[in-house]
Amino acid sequence: MSEKNVPLVGIVMGSDSDWPKIQGVAKALEEFGVPMEIRVMSAHRTPEIVHQFATTAAARGMKVIIAAAGGAAHLAGVVASHTTLPVIGIPVVTDLAGGLDSLLSTVQMPGDVPVACMAAGSGGPRNAGLLAVQILALSDAELQQKLTSFRHELADKVNRKNEALQKRLTESK
Ligand code: RP5
């Protein structure tokens, strides 16, 4: 992995009210030992700060940016418009149809400026972290090895659950 303490992933969110809903993203990155920077900034309330962050991220050593926002969720798209780093969007769950507003605002980017949009709720934040790890692992053999082990453990877990279910089914006959 690259130099310790240099954040490879930037996590930005539109409000501190988003943090309790998206903390899984940081947990996933921690599991793989990926250094990150976590900040609140808003496409609408602090547009200059978003501009400054996005235009300097690559030069500061960042490789991936994850942007979470809810409602009129333009943060990921605006960040993507200011950088060629890959941007992963997390639509934050809201009271409107479980975050459908956030999902559509994040996913419906115009052609030529992509945002990799995760699910609203459920595994969305965790998958954002894991996708960032997968992108970093393309040029990091140690991280790739950790990902391979992670997938094996995942399969083992499912197999154990299946075996336990088969046992219960047999016993209930
Ligand atoms: C969005 O507005 C934020 O990402 C948040 O999801 C939503 C509400 O923000 P607060 O009013 O709680 O600060 O920009």
Side-chain angles (χ1 to χ4, degrees):
M1 218 172 284
S2 79
E3 275 182 57
K4 281 247 181 294
N5 302 326
V6 175
L8 296 178
V9 177
I11 301 173
V12 295
M13 68 202 85
S15 171
D16 61 342
S17 66
D18 296 326
W19 181 235
K21 301 176 188 172
I22 65 149
Q23 283 184 38
V25 63
K27 192 172 172 294
L29 291 167
E30 274 163 19
E31 283 174 27
F32 286 87
V34 173
M36 70 197 94
E37 176 177 302
I38 305 174
R39 290 174 59 180
V40 173
M41 60 186 66
S42 164
H44 309 117
R45 292 166 174 160
T46 62
E48 292 85 4
I49 292 173
V50 172
H51 176 266
Q52 165 78 8
F53 171 81
T55 54
T56 59
R60 292 198 293 120
M62 273 179 203
K63 305 288 185 211
V64 184
I65 298 175
I66 299 173
H74 299 136
L75 185 57
V78 170
V79 168
S81 75
H82 289 303
T83 181
T84 53
L85 292 176
V87 175
I88 303 171
I90 302 176
V92 174
V93 170
T94 64
D95 293 337
L96 187 69
L100 187 59
D101 46 356
S102 319
L103 176 65
L104 294 177
S105 304
T106 305
V107 80
Q108 293 286 25
M109 286 297 289
D112 300 329
V113 187
V115 164
C117 181
M118 301 295 102
S122 165
R126 180 165 178 79
N127 278 350
L130 292 174
L131 182 57
V133 171
Q134 289 179 208
I135 293 169
L136 295 172
L138 290 171
S139 54
D140 185 328
E142 190 188 331
L143 211 45
Q144 189 59 57
Q145 190 50 51
K146 284 186 189 174
L147 270 172
T148 304
S149 307
F150 168 72
R151 287 292 177 94
H152 286 150
E153 282 162 27
L154 214 53
D156 287 348
K157 226 182 277 179
V158 173
N159 289 335
R160 281 199 299 277
K161 285 180 183 175
N162 178 52
E163 281 163 21
L165 177 65
Q166 297 309 318
K167 194 160 173 261
R168 285 206 299 279
L169 292 173
T170 308
E171 284 166 1
S172 68
K173 272 184 192 158

